[in-house]
Amino acid sequence: VSVGMFEHVGVGRYDEYFAKVRELLTENGVMVLHSIGRFDGPGDTNPWIQKYIFPGGYIPALSEVIPAIERQGLKITDIEILRLHYADTLRAWRERFLSRREEAAAIYDERFCRMWEFYLAGSETAFRYQDMMNFQIQITRHQHAVPRTRNYMFEAEEHYRQREATRPSLRLAGE
């Protein structure tokens, strides 16, 4: 599983990245690539985010990623587009940040707090209204490595949901 790092690979290294994925996957191995993505095709990174938040980061379009997967002889066995999920996540992060903003300002400074709040609000807006999304691509070496339908995912989720229901709830880290 790759979560939250593909945006830092760089378009020019996608072939190298997926060659390594192919090398590391066993014959029946499965990889899930989770990344922020663009609905509207290749583009540029927002200059403010590039400078202050994620230097060197780039948000890919599927049209840039899929050809690199195919060139390495890998199979895409599923793609899921998470449209507004990250907008909701960013809103929750902003609400939590604002609820403890004074603590953050004491640790960092007011400039940091203003930039972080701006980043969270701007990113939420981009995911709600400006063609940003998350995608998850399931990748294998062979098409028979996973079942034909997604039912196995739902069954596993239910298994873990039931297992979690029997455990005592955890407190938040630091509590």
Side-chain angles (χ1 to χ4, degrees):
V1 175
S2 173
V3 176
M5 65 78 62
F6 190 72
E7 300 89 332
H8 305 280
V9 170
V11 177
R13 302 194 81 170
Y14 289 173
D15 283 321
E16 180 183 351
Y17 178 88
F18 288 112
K20 180 54 85 171
V21 167
R22 181 170 177 71
E23 177 187 323
L24 293 173
L25 277 176
T26 62
E27 284 300 306
N28 290 310
V30 179
M31 181 216 188
V32 175
L33 172 64
H34 174 97
S35 179
I36 293 172
R38 304 171 185 271
F39 276 116
D40 58 352
D44 296 317
T45 301
N46 174 286
W48 187 85
I49 289 178
Q50 177 74 26
K51 181 174 182 177
Y52 293 107
I53 307 296
F54 294 118
Y58 175 75
I59 297 171
L62 285 171
S63 61
E64 296 172 291
V65 178
I66 291 172
I69 295 168
E70 292 171 346
R71 283 193 296 271
Q72 297 309 314
L74 294 165
K75 309 288 188 260
I76 296 172
T77 52
D78 199 355
I79 297 178
E80 182 174 22
I81 304 299
L82 304 169
R83 295 167 290 116
L84 297 170
H85 299 67
Y86 204 54
D88 294 340
T89 298
L90 288 158
R91 183 186 66 226
W93 286 349
R94 187 167 48 88
E95 288 170 353
R96 288 180 181 162
F97 174 73
L98 291 175
S99 74
R100 300 184 73 179
R101 190 180 197 281
E102 289 180 21
E103 293 172 59
I107 295 169
Y108 300 102
D109 61 19
E110 185 59 29
R111 180 176 185 263
F112 168 84
C113 289
R114 284 192 314 268
M115 286 188 1
W116 196 246
E117 184 178 350
F118 181 74
Y119 162 69
L120 292 172
S123 294
E124 178 188 344
T125 300
F127 277 86
R128 285 198 194 285
Y129 306 109
Q130 297 176 336
D131 289 330
M132 301 298 285
M133 49 85 161
N134 290 88
F135 59 77
Q136 298 183 142
I137 305 175
Q138 185 183 71
I139 302 166
T140 63
R141 293 177 75 168
H142 303 287
Q143 67 173 323
H144 301 288
V146 292
R148 289 183 182 199
T149 70
R150 289 182 171 178
N151 289 350
Y152 73 100
M153 294 181 207
F154 306 127
E155 291 163 3
E157 276 185 37
E158 183 57 30
H159 167 78
Y160 289 114
R161 194 174 289 114
Q162 288 177 12
R163 190 172 108 185
E164 288 297 314
T166 64
R167 289 185 170 178
S169 62
L170 297 174
R171 294 180 299 158
L172 295 176
E175 286 189 322

